[in-house]
Amino acid sequence: MLTLGTDKYGDAALLVSRFLLVLLFLIFGWDKLTGFSGTIGYMAHEGLPVPALAAVIAVVMEFGVGLALLAGFLTRPLALLLLVYTFATALIGHPYWTMTGMNQFMAEINFYQNISIMGGLLALYVAGPGRFSLDRVLGLA
């Protein structure tokens, strides 16, 4: 039986898991950062009240927190924070219940992908970062 963190594969599995879990955030956070004016425009198009602030929050959460989780830094609190952010983006960015046709179908897929990611973030919170992490090096785990 594989028990993460207590056998010879658990810590490596947690490292790979962190990478796989944050890959999406890193890719799209980087896109938001490098195309920042477009990100602000998208936030305005979505009707967010302060689009520039929303864009900054998105970049910090996706790219900044994504990098921190990849490195295993402040893993448990940041996993919970990213979980809340992911839920908010599901509600704001993928309101499939207000749509019809193919738009509804695509938004529903994206909504439930966010919900699934939340499950991974919750599991990361419970499991912790593992041995291959800054938390472990800094004595935070």
Side-chain angles (χ1 to χ4, degrees):
M1 179 170 160
L2 175 67
T3 305
L4 292 178
T6 61
D7 67 11
K8 66 180 180 176
Y9 301 112
D11 289 309
L14 284 169
L15 175 62
V16 171
S17 176
R18 287 197 328 263
F19 172 76
L20 294 173
L21 190 55
V22 302
L23 184 60
L24 176 89
F25 292 107
L26 293 174
I27 290 169
F28 288 99
W30 178 254
D31 286 348
K32 285 175 178 71
L33 177 62
T34 58
F36 195 70
S37 62
T39 302
I40 294 171
Y42 174 77
M43 299 298 179
H45 179 267
E46 290 297 306
L48 294 168
V50 185
L53 178 60
V56 168
I57 290 169
V59 168
V60 168
M61 291 302 301
E62 294 179 23
F63 194 69
V65 172
L67 280 176
L69 287 176
L70 178 61
F73 179 67
L74 298 175
T75 304
R76 285 189 163 108
L78 290 181
L80 285 181
L81 183 63
L82 195 56
L83 184 151
V84 170
Y85 170 81
T86 302
F87 184 60
T89 61
L91 293 174
I92 294 167
H94 310 297
Y96 68 91
W97 51 91
T98 66
M99 301 171 181
T100 59
M102 187 55 79
N103 287 338
Q104 181 182 36
F105 178 71
M106 295 307 296
E108 187 174 7
I109 289 171
N110 289 324
F111 179 88
Y112 284 104
Q113 284 175 345
N114 279 31
I115 300 302
S116 296
I117 292 166
M118 289 168 55
L121 290 165
L122 185 59
L124 181 59
Y125 171 78
V126 171
R131 182 176 55 171
F132 305 118
S133 66
L134 284 179
D135 283 347
R136 190 61 58 96
V137 171
L138 299 171
L140 300 173

